[in-house]
Structures are given as structure tokens and as C-alpha cells.
Amino acid sequence: MPRDHSRTLRIAEQIQRELAELIRLELKDPRVGMVTLTDVEVTADYAHAKVFFTTLGTSDQMAAATAGLNHAAGFLRHELGQRIKLRSIPQLHFIYDESVERGVRLSRLIDEAVAPAARDSNKGS
């Protein structure tokens, strides 16, 4: 019987909502500051979940946040089990999401490339 992908997506969204609340309210690790969960990908057998996050700060703070989240993965998984009714709660794997930084960098490059053309067109007017 094929898996229902919409159910997997709903479970991933529920895990993301619950984890965001748990991290904000329950997690006391000082390494984990302002963390934003950007996505959760759950495997078809619900055994593993990749949790993508972003945070403000330097690369050292990002590495510390990753370490803090991975260290707290067992606690977070246990708390998820209390909130979500699934036969088995997936193992949590926290991964830093570089897409936000990459988007900001690309936007800045585009702005820099367009700025000289905009100045030249204003001179001609």
C-alpha cells in the first residue's frame, strides 16, 4: 500500500509547530538562542526527521546552536511524544539552513549590479 504523502506533510508541519513551541518555552540551553525552524522533512517510515533551522549571529553561534539542539534532541523527542500521538516519534536531526543567508547574499549582489545601471539612467534624464 503506497504511503500518503499528504499525511507525511501534515506530520512534518505538526512536528515543526510543536518543536518551535518546545524550543521557545522549554529548552533552557544557553547555546540555543533565537532559533527559527524553517522546515521539517520526515522520512516515509517516520523513523527520522530533518529539522532545518536558522539563527542570527556568527558562524560560531550557529555551530553552538546546532550542537545545543542536537544535544537536546532526546529531550525534544520525548516531549514531542507527549504532544503528538504517533506510534513512533522520529529521531531528530538538526541541520542549519543556509538558504536564508544565500538569499540575502544574492539579493545584495543583485542590488549592487543594478545600482550602477540605475545611476547611469538617472544621469541621462
mmCIF file of all heavy atoms in Angstrom, residues 16-63:
data_model
loop_
_atom_site.group_PDB
_atom_site.id
_atom_site.type_symbol
_atom_site.label_atom_id
_atom_site.label_comp_id
_atom_site.label_asym_id
_atom_site.label_seq_id
_atom_site.Cartn_x
_atom_site.Cartn_y
_atom_site.Cartn_z
ATOM 1 N N GLN A 16 6.993 20.561 13.273
ATOM 2 C CA GLN A 16 7.604 21.891 13.227
ATOM 3 C C GLN A 16 6.935 22.836 14.218
ATOM 4 O O GLN A 16 7.617 23.551 14.959
ATOM 5 C CB GLN A 16 7.534 22.451 11.808
ATOM 6 C CG GLN A 16 8.221 23.797 11.663
ATOM 7 C CD GLN A 16 8.256 24.280 10.216
ATOM 8 O OE1 GLN A 16 7.960 23.534 9.300
ATOM 9 N NE2 GLN A 16 8.625 25.521 10.030
ATOM 10 N N ARG A 17 5.613 22.848 14.259
ATOM 11 C CA ARG A 17 4.892 23.718 15.198
ATOM 12 C C ARG A 17 5.222 23.373 16.645
ATOM 13 O O ARG A 17 5.515 24.252 17.462
ATOM 14 C CB ARG A 17 3.375 23.614 14.976
ATOM 15 C CG ARG A 17 2.851 24.427 13.823
ATOM 16 C CD ARG A 17 1.335 24.496 13.845
ATOM 17 N NE ARG A 17 0.701 23.184 13.796
ATOM 18 C CZ ARG A 17 0.381 22.544 12.670
ATOM 19 N NH1 ARG A 17 0.649 23.101 11.510
ATOM 20 N NH2 ARG A 17 -0.202 21.358 12.707
ATOM 21 N N GLU A 18 5.166 22.093 16.966
ATOM 22 C CA GLU A 18 5.411 21.669 18.347
ATOM 23 C C GLU A 18 6.859 21.917 18.761
ATOM 24 O O GLU A 18 7.116 22.364 19.887
ATOM 25 C CB GLU A 18 5.050 20.186 18.525
ATOM 26 C CG GLU A 18 3.589 19.873 18.314
ATOM 27 C CD GLU A 18 2.663 20.501 19.337
ATOM 28 O OE1 GLU A 18 3.108 20.869 20.430
ATOM 29 O OE2 GLU A 18 1.460 20.625 19.034
ATOM 30 N N LEU A 19 7.808 21.636 17.869
ATOM 31 C CA LEU A 19 9.215 21.873 18.196
ATOM 32 C C LEU A 19 9.496 23.358 18.409
ATOM 33 O O LEU A 19 10.254 23.727 19.310
ATOM 34 C CB LEU A 19 10.129 21.334 17.096
ATOM 35 C CG LEU A 19 10.466 19.860 17.147
ATOM 36 C CD1 LEU A 19 11.311 19.467 15.949
ATOM 37 C CD2 LEU A 19 11.163 19.498 18.441
ATOM 38 N N ALA A 20 8.904 24.199 17.581
ATOM 39 C CA ALA A 20 9.102 25.642 17.742
ATOM 40 C C ALA A 20 8.645 26.091 19.119
ATOM 41 O O ALA A 20 9.340 26.868 19.799
ATOM 42 C CB ALA A 20 8.365 26.403 16.644
ATOM 43 N N GLU A 21 7.506 25.594 19.549
ATOM 44 C CA GLU A 21 6.993 25.959 20.866
ATOM 45 C C GLU A 21 7.871 25.376 21.974
ATOM 46 O O GLU A 21 8.180 26.054 22.956
ATOM 47 C CB GLU A 21 5.555 25.473 21.022
ATOM 48 C CG GLU A 21 4.903 25.948 22.300
ATOM 49 C CD GLU A 21 3.432 25.595 22.352
ATOM 50 O OE1 GLU A 21 2.768 25.650 21.302
ATOM 51 O OE2 GLU A 21 2.974 25.251 23.450
ATOM 52 N N LEU A 22 8.288 24.125 21.823
ATOM 53 C CA LEU A 22 9.148 23.499 22.829
ATOM 54 C C LEU A 22 10.479 24.231 22.967
ATOM 55 O O LEU A 22 10.954 24.463 24.086
ATOM 56 C CB LEU A 22 9.405 22.028 22.474
ATOM 57 C CG LEU A 22 8.279 21.059 22.760
ATOM 58 C CD1 LEU A 22 8.547 19.713 22.109
ATOM 59 C CD2 LEU A 22 8.117 20.898 24.263
ATOM 60 N N ILE A 23 11.084 24.586 21.845
ATOM 61 C CA ILE A 23 12.367 25.281 21.882
ATOM 62 C C ILE A 23 12.200 26.642 22.539
ATOM 63 O O ILE A 23 13.021 27.070 23.346
ATOM 64 C CB ILE A 23 12.967 25.391 20.460
ATOM 65 C CG1 ILE A 23 13.406 23.999 19.982
ATOM 66 C CG2 ILE A 23 14.134 26.367 20.431
ATOM 67 C CD1 ILE A 23 13.767 23.935 18.515
ATOM 68 N N ARG A 24 11.123 27.316 22.219
ATOM 69 C CA ARG A 24 10.888 28.653 22.758
ATOM 70 C C ARG A 24 10.593 28.623 24.257
ATOM 71 O O ARG A 24 11.101 29.453 25.015
ATOM 72 C CB ARG A 24 9.734 29.310 22.005
ATOM 73 C CG ARG A 24 9.499 30.764 22.349
ATOM 74 C CD ARG A 24 8.463 31.399 21.437
ATOM 75 N NE ARG A 24 7.214 30.674 21.362
ATOM 76 C CZ ARG A 24 6.195 30.877 22.186
ATOM 77 N NH1 ARG A 24 6.289 31.753 23.152
ATOM 78 N NH2 ARG A 24 5.080 30.194 22.047
ATOM 79 N N LEU A 25 9.793 27.656 24.705
ATOM 80 C CA LEU A 25 9.321 27.666 26.087
ATOM 81 C C LEU A 25 10.053 26.717 27.031
ATOM 82 O O LEU A 25 10.200 27.029 28.213
ATOM 83 C CB LEU A 25 7.825 27.322 26.118
ATOM 84 C CG LEU A 25 6.906 28.282 25.381
ATOM 85 C CD1 LEU A 25 5.482 27.770 25.394
ATOM 86 C CD2 LEU A 25 6.996 29.674 25.962
ATOM 87 N N GLU A 26 10.495 25.587 26.548
ATOM 88 C CA GLU A 26 11.015 24.549 27.438
ATOM 89 C C GLU A 26 12.536 24.408 27.427
ATOM 90 O O GLU A 26 13.109 23.985 28.420
ATOM 91 C CB GLU A 26 10.405 23.185 27.067
ATOM 92 C CG GLU A 26 8.895 23.155 27.128
ATOM 93 C CD GLU A 26 8.350 23.239 28.545
ATOM 94 O OE1 GLU A 26 9.036 22.796 29.473
ATOM 95 O OE2 GLU A 26 7.237 23.769 28.704
ATOM 96 N N LEU A 27 13.169 24.731 26.318
ATOM 97 C CA LEU A 27 14.610 24.490 26.192
ATOM 98 C C LEU A 27 15.387 25.595 26.895
ATOM 99 O O LEU A 27 15.210 26.772 26.594
ATOM 100 C CB LEU A 27 14.993 24.409 24.709
ATOM 101 C CG LEU A 27 16.315 23.749 24.390
ATOM 102 C CD1 LEU A 27 16.358 22.326 24.926
ATOM 103 C CD2 LEU A 27 16.541 23.734 22.899
ATOM 104 N N LYS A 28 16.233 25.208 27.827
ATOM 105 C CA LYS A 28 16.968 26.182 28.641
ATOM 106 C C LYS A 28 18.452 26.256 28.282
ATOM 107 O O LYS A 28 19.225 26.872 28.992
ATOM 108 C CB LYS A 28 16.841 25.817 30.131
ATOM 109 C CG LYS A 28 15.411 25.706 30.621
ATOM 110 C CD LYS A 28 14.679 27.016 30.508
ATOM 111 C CE LYS A 28 13.276 26.884 31.072
ATOM 112 N NZ LYS A 28 12.321 27.748 30.443
ATOM 113 N N ASP A 29 18.873 25.624 27.199
ATOM 114 C CA ASP A 29 20.276 25.614 26.798
ATOM 115 C C ASP A 29 20.685 27.008 26.321
ATOM 116 O O ASP A 29 20.088 27.538 25.390
ATOM 117 C CB ASP A 29 20.494 24.590 25.684
ATOM 118 C CG ASP A 29 21.948 24.286 25.426
ATOM 119 O OD1 ASP A 29 22.787 25.198 25.597
ATOM 120 O OD2 ASP A 29 22.259 23.138 25.056
ATOM 121 N N PRO A 30 21.704 27.624 26.934
ATOM 122 C CA PRO A 30 22.110 28.981 26.524
ATOM 123 C C PRO A 30 22.694 29.043 25.110
ATOM 124 O O PRO A 30 22.716 30.110 24.502
ATOM 125 C CB PRO A 30 23.150 29.380 27.574
ATOM 126 C CG PRO A 30 23.639 28.104 28.147
ATOM 127 C CD PRO A 30 22.506 27.122 28.050
ATOM 128 N N ARG A 31 23.147 27.905 24.588
ATOM 129 C CA ARG A 31 23.689 27.908 23.215
ATOM 130 C C ARG A 31 22.596 28.118 22.185
ATOM 131 O O ARG A 31 22.845 28.588 21.085
ATOM 132 C CB ARG A 31 24.402 26.580 22.933
ATOM 133 C CG ARG A 31 25.608 26.341 23.811
ATOM 134 C CD ARG A 31 26.181 24.982 23.566
ATOM 135 N NE ARG A 31 25.254 23.959 24.059
ATOM 136 C CZ ARG A 31 25.503 22.659 24.028
ATOM 137 N NH1 ARG A 31 26.633 22.208 23.509
ATOM 138 N NH2 ARG A 31 24.628 21.790 24.508
ATOM 139 N N VAL A 32 21.377 27.749 22.556
ATOM 140 C CA VAL A 32 20.247 27.874 21.628
ATOM 141 C C VAL A 32 19.538 29.180 21.937
ATOM 142 O O VAL A 32 18.753 29.279 22.859
ATOM 143 C CB VAL A 32 19.285 26.674 21.779
ATOM 144 C CG1 VAL A 32 18.128 26.813 20.809
ATOM 145 C CG2 VAL A 32 20.018 25.373 21.573
ATOM 146 N N GLY A 33 19.841 30.191 21.134
ATOM 147 C CA GLY A 33 19.218 31.494 21.336
ATOM 148 C C GLY A 33 17.965 31.618 20.481
ATOM 149 O O GLY A 33 17.060 30.792 20.540
ATOM 150 N N MET A 34 17.929 32.668 19.701
ATOM 151 C CA MET A 34 16.803 32.917 18.809
ATOM 152 C C MET A 34 16.917 32.008 17.588
ATOM 153 O O MET A 34 17.661 32.288 16.657
ATOM 154 C CB MET A 34 16.786 34.384 18.378
ATOM 155 C CG MET A 34 16.514 35.343 19.503
ATOM 156 S SD MET A 34 14.868 35.146 20.190
ATOM 157 C CE MET A 34 13.881 35.684 18.821
ATOM 158 N N VAL A 35 16.192 30.920 17.614
ATOM 159 C CA VAL A 35 16.222 29.926 16.545
ATOM 160 C C VAL A 35 14.876 29.935 15.841
ATOM 161 O O VAL A 35 13.834 29.974 16.486
ATOM 162 C CB VAL A 35 16.520 28.523 17.117
ATOM 163 C CG1 VAL A 35 16.307 27.449 16.085
ATOM 164 C CG2 VAL A 35 17.943 28.466 17.649
ATOM 165 N N THR A 36 14.911 29.916 14.509
ATOM 166 C CA THR A 36 13.695 29.835 13.712
ATOM 167 C C THR A 36 13.729 28.533 12.929
ATOM 168 O O THR A 36 14.695 28.268 12.212
ATOM 169 C CB THR A 36 13.610 31.016 12.734
ATOM 170 O OG1 THR A 36 13.637 32.231 13.471
ATOM 171 C CG2 THR A 36 12.334 30.954 11.912
ATOM 172 N N LEU A 37 12.703 27.726 13.089
ATOM 173 C CA LEU A 37 12.610 26.484 12.324
ATOM 174 C C LEU A 37 12.032 26.815 10.952
ATOM 175 O O LEU A 37 10.961 27.404 10.855
ATOM 176 C CB LEU A 37 11.729 25.472 13.050
ATOM 177 C CG LEU A 37 12.183 25.068 14.449
ATOM 178 C CD1 LEU A 37 11.259 24.006 15.022
ATOM 179 C CD2 LEU A 37 13.614 24.586 14.450
ATOM 180 N N THR A 38 12.767 26.442 9.904
ATOM 181 C CA THR A 38 12.336 26.783 8.552
ATOM 182 C C THR A 38 11.625 25.636 7.845
ATOM 183 O O THR A 38 10.779 25.874 6.987
ATOM 184 C CB THR A 38 13.534 27.242 7.693
ATOM 185 O OG1 THR A 38 14.532 26.216 7.698
ATOM 186 C CG2 THR A 38 14.121 28.531 8.236
ATOM 187 N N ASP A 39 11.959 24.386 8.212
ATOM 188 C CA ASP A 39 11.330 23.253 7.536
ATOM 189 C C ASP A 39 11.597 21.983 8.328
ATOM 190 O O ASP A 39 12.560 21.906 9.087
ATOM 191 C CB ASP A 39 11.894 23.099 6.114
ATOM 192 C CG ASP A 39 11.065 22.170 5.246
ATOM 193 O OD1 ASP A 39 9.876 21.962 5.556
ATOM 194 O OD2 ASP A 39 11.611 21.639 4.253
ATOM 195 N N VAL A 40 10.749 21.003 8.136
ATOM 196 C CA VAL A 40 10.947 19.666 8.692
ATOM 197 C C VAL A 40 10.644 18.677 7.587
ATOM 198 O O VAL A 40 9.616 18.774 6.919
ATOM 199 C CB VAL A 40 10.029 19.399 9.909
ATOM 200 C CG1 VAL A 40 10.147 17.955 10.370
ATOM 201 C CG2 VAL A 40 10.349 20.340 11.045
ATOM 202 N N GLU A 41 11.564 17.734 7.378
ATOM 203 C CA GLU A 41 11.365 16.666 6.401
ATOM 204 C C GLU A 41 11.341 15.344 7.155
ATOM 205 O O GLU A 41 12.300 15.004 7.841
ATOM 206 C CB GLU A 41 12.492 16.646 5.366
ATOM 207 C CG GLU A 41 12.524 17.857 4.472
ATOM 208 C CD GLU A 41 13.693 17.832 3.498
ATOM 209 O OE1 GLU A 41 14.495 16.871 3.535
ATOM 210 O OE2 GLU A 41 13.800 18.775 2.711
ATOM 211 N N VAL A 42 10.252 14.604 7.025
ATOM 212 C CA VAL A 42 10.088 13.327 7.707
ATOM 213 C C VAL A 42 10.213 12.216 6.671
ATOM 214 O O VAL A 42 9.651 12.312 5.575
ATOM 215 C CB VAL A 42 8.714 13.257 8.412
ATOM 216 C CG1 VAL A 42 8.535 11.928 9.123
ATOM 217 C CG2 VAL A 42 8.549 14.399 9.389
ATOM 218 N N THR A 43 10.945 11.155 7.018
ATOM 219 C CA THR A 43 11.063 10.022 6.108
ATOM 220 C C THR A 43 9.724 9.309 6.004
ATOM 221 O O THR A 43 8.850 9.454 6.862
ATOM 222 C CB THR A 43 12.145 9.038 6.587
ATOM 223 O OG1 THR A 43 11.822 8.589 7.896
ATOM 224 C CG2 THR A 43 13.522 9.678 6.569
ATOM 225 N N ALA A 44 9.565 8.508 4.964
ATOM 226 C CA ALA A 44 8.292 7.833 4.704
ATOM 227 C C ALA A 44 7.906 6.874 5.830
ATOM 228 O O ALA A 44 6.728 6.660 6.093
ATOM 229 C CB ALA A 44 8.362 7.075 3.381
ATOM 230 N N ASP A 45 8.900 6.302 6.523
ATOM 231 C CA ASP A 45 8.600 5.381 7.620
ATOM 232 C C ASP A 45 8.536 6.083 8.979
ATOM 233 O O ASP A 45 8.399 5.421 10.013
ATOM 234 C CB ASP A 45 9.617 4.242 7.664
ATOM 235 C CG ASP A 45 11.044 4.721 7.910
ATOM 236 O OD1 ASP A 45 11.272 5.953 7.968
ATOM 237 O OD2 ASP A 45 11.927 3.855 8.044
ATOM 238 N N TYR A 46 8.627 7.399 8.978
ATOM 239 C CA TYR A 46 8.541 8.229 10.189
ATOM 240 C C TYR A 46 9.638 7.909 11.213
ATOM 241 O O TYR A 46 9.483 8.169 12.398
ATOM 242 C CB TYR A 46 7.169 8.124 10.875
ATOM 243 C CG TYR A 46 6.016 8.371 9.936
ATOM 244 C CD1 TYR A 46 5.117 7.368 9.647
ATOM 245 C CD2 TYR A 46 5.851 9.598 9.324
ATOM 246 C CE1 TYR A 46 4.065 7.586 8.777
ATOM 247 C CE2 TYR A 46 4.801 9.830 8.455
ATOM 248 C CZ TYR A 46 3.918 8.819 8.177
ATOM 249 O OH TYR A 46 2.885 9.044 7.312
ATOM 250 N N ALA A 47 10.759 7.350 10.755
ATOM 251 C CA ALA A 47 11.843 6.992 11.667
ATOM 252 C C ALA A 47 12.775 8.171 11.928
ATOM 253 O O ALA A 47 13.375 8.259 13.000
ATOM 254 C CB ALA A 47 12.642 5.813 11.113
ATOM 255 N N HIS A 48 12.928 9.054 10.953
ATOM 256 C CA HIS A 48 13.854 10.176 11.076
ATOM 257 C C HIS A 48 13.195 11.458 10.579
ATOM 258 O O HIS A 48 12.375 11.431 9.666
ATOM 259 C CB HIS A 48 15.125 9.931 10.257
ATOM 260 C CG HIS A 48 15.889 8.732 10.722
ATOM 261 N ND1 HIS A 48 16.786 8.779 11.741
ATOM 262 C CD2 HIS A 48 15.862 7.443 10.296
ATOM 263 C CE1 HIS A 48 17.293 7.576 11.938
ATOM 264 N NE2 HIS A 48 16.744 6.741 11.079
ATOM 265 N N ALA A 49 13.603 12.559 11.203
ATOM 266 C CA ALA A 49 13.122 13.876 10.769
ATOM 267 C C ALA A 49 14.307 14.821 10.712
ATOM 268 O O ALA A 49 15.047 14.959 11.692
ATOM 269 C CB ALA A 49 12.071 14.399 11.729
ATOM 270 N N LYS A 50 14.497 15.443 9.556
ATOM 271 C CA LYS A 50 15.498 16.501 9.417
ATOM 272 C C LYS A 50 14.800 17.807 9.769
ATOM 273 O O LYS A 50 13.794 18.160 9.152
ATOM 274 C CB LYS A 50 16.026 16.587 7.993
ATOM 275 C CG LYS A 50 16.857 15.425 7.559
ATOM 276 C CD LYS A 50 17.323 15.644 6.127
ATOM 277 C CE LYS A 50 18.037 14.443 5.586
ATOM 278 N NZ LYS A 50 18.389 14.633 4.157
ATOM 279 N N VAL A 51 15.348 18.509 10.754
ATOM 280 C CA VAL A 51 14.764 19.770 11.199
ATOM 281 C C VAL A 51 15.717 20.874 10.774
ATOM 282 O O VAL A 51 16.831 20.963 11.279
ATOM 283 C CB VAL A 51 14.554 19.785 12.727
ATOM 284 C CG1 VAL A 51 13.908 21.081 13.159
ATOM 285 C CG2 VAL A 51 13.716 18.589 13.165
ATOM 286 N N PHE A 52 15.276 21.699 9.826
ATOM 287 C CA PHE A 52 16.100 22.793 9.322
ATOM 288 C C PHE A 52 15.800 24.046 10.123
ATOM 289 O O PHE A 52 14.639 24.371 10.374
ATOM 290 C CB PHE A 52 15.822 23.029 7.835
ATOM 291 C CG PHE A 52 16.222 21.858 6.976
ATOM 292 C CD1 PHE A 52 15.306 20.878 6.650
ATOM 293 C CD2 PHE A 52 17.521 21.739 6.518
ATOM 294 C CE1 PHE A 52 15.663 19.792 5.877
ATOM 295 C CE2 PHE A 52 17.901 20.657 5.733
ATOM 296 C CZ PHE A 52 16.975 19.678 5.409
ATOM 297 N N PHE A 53 16.863 24.756 10.515
ATOM 298 C CA PHE A 53 16.684 25.958 11.330
ATOM 299 C C PHE A 53 17.653 27.024 10.877
ATOM 300 O O PHE A 53 18.635 26.765 10.178
ATOM 301 C CB PHE A 53 16.905 25.650 12.818
ATOM 302 C CG PHE A 53 18.346 25.428 13.188
ATOM 303 C CD1 PHE A 53 19.115 26.464 13.676
ATOM 304 C CD2 PHE A 53 18.925 24.189 13.037
ATOM 305 C CE1 PHE A 53 20.446 26.275 13.999
ATOM 306 C CE2 PHE A 53 20.247 23.978 13.360
ATOM 307 C CZ PHE A 53 21.014 25.021 13.847
ATOM 308 N N THR A 54 17.362 28.251 11.267
ATOM 309 C CA THR A 54 18.252 29.374 11.031
ATOM 310 C C THR A 54 18.324 30.187 12.314
ATOM 311 O O THR A 54 17.430 30.124 13.155
ATOM 312 C CB THR A 54 17.774 30.241 9.842
ATOM 313 O OG1 THR A 54 18.752 31.226 9.566
ATOM 314 C CG2 THR A 54 16.455 30.901 10.126
ATOM 315 N N THR A 55 19.414 30.926 12.451
ATOM 316 C CA THR A 55 19.605 31.755 13.631
ATOM 317 C C THR A 55 20.433 32.967 13.236
ATOM 318 O O THR A 55 21.187 32.928 12.275
ATOM 319 C CB THR A 55 20.280 30.970 14.768
ATOM 320 O OG1 THR A 55 20.354 31.788 15.924
ATOM 321 C CG2 THR A 55 21.676 30.506 14.398
ATOM 322 N N LEU A 56 20.256 34.035 13.971
ATOM 323 C CA LEU A 56 21.060 35.221 13.738
ATOM 324 C C LEU A 56 22.380 35.071 14.480
ATOM 325 O O LEU A 56 22.424 34.490 15.557
ATOM 326 C CB LEU A 56 20.333 36.471 14.241
ATOM 327 C CG LEU A 56 19.012 36.783 13.555
ATOM 328 C CD1 LEU A 56 18.336 37.965 14.231
ATOM 329 C CD2 LEU A 56 19.228 37.065 12.092
ATOM 330 N N GLY A 57 23.445 35.608 13.907
ATOM 331 C CA GLY A 57 24.721 35.568 14.598
ATOM 332 C C GLY A 57 25.838 35.067 13.712
ATOM 333 O O GLY A 57 25.679 34.840 12.509
ATOM 334 N N THR A 58 26.976 34.868 14.342
ATOM 335 C CA THR A 58 28.187 34.452 13.632
ATOM 336 C C THR A 58 28.156 32.950 13.376
ATOM 337 O O THR A 58 27.289 32.235 13.863
ATOM 338 C CB THR A 58 29.426 34.807 14.463
ATOM 339 O OG1 THR A 58 29.393 34.038 15.672
ATOM 340 C CG2 THR A 58 29.478 36.281 14.792
ATOM 341 N N SER A 59 29.157 32.490 12.640
ATOM 342 C CA SER A 59 29.241 31.056 12.372
ATOM 343 C C SER A 59 29.518 30.277 13.653
ATOM 344 O O SER A 59 29.099 29.125 13.790
ATOM 345 C CB SER A 59 30.304 30.771 11.313
ATOM 346 O OG SER A 59 31.568 31.220 11.764
ATOM 347 N N ASP A 60 30.222 30.894 14.617
ATOM 348 C CA ASP A 60 30.451 30.222 15.903
ATOM 349 C C ASP A 60 29.141 30.044 16.659
ATOM 350 O O ASP A 60 28.900 28.994 17.268
ATOM 351 C CB ASP A 60 31.436 31.026 16.763
ATOM 352 C CG ASP A 60 32.848 31.014 16.200
ATOM 353 O OD1 ASP A 60 33.150 30.103 15.398
ATOM 354 O OD2 ASP A 60 33.630 31.907 16.562
ATOM 355 N N GLN A 61 28.284 31.061 16.641
ATOM 356 C CA GLN A 61 26.993 30.964 17.314
ATOM 357 C C GLN A 61 26.096 29.937 16.619
ATOM 358 O O GLN A 61 25.336 29.217 17.274
ATOM 359 C CB GLN A 61 26.311 32.324 17.357
ATOM 360 C CG GLN A 61 27.002 33.308 18.275
ATOM 361 C CD GLN A 61 26.484 34.729 18.107
ATOM 362 O OE1 GLN A 61 26.138 35.143 17.006
ATOM 363 N NE2 GLN A 61 26.443 35.470 19.210
ATOM 364 N N MET A 62 26.205 29.858 15.292
ATOM 365 C CA MET A 62 25.435 28.876 14.531
ATOM 366 C C MET A 62 25.885 27.467 14.902
ATOM 367 O O MET A 62 25.062 26.580 15.118
ATOM 368 C CB MET A 62 25.601 29.122 13.028
ATOM 369 C CG MET A 62 24.875 28.144 12.137
ATOM 370 S SD MET A 62 25.801 26.660 11.659
ATOM 371 C CE MET A 62 27.237 27.353 10.907
ATOM 372 N N ALA A 63 27.194 27.261 15.011
ATOM 373 C CA ALA A 63 27.717 25.946 15.384
ATOM 374 C C ALA A 63 27.293 25.589 16.811
ATOM 375 O O ALA A 63 26.941 24.435 17.096
ATOM 376 C CB ALA A 63 29.231 25.927 15.254
#
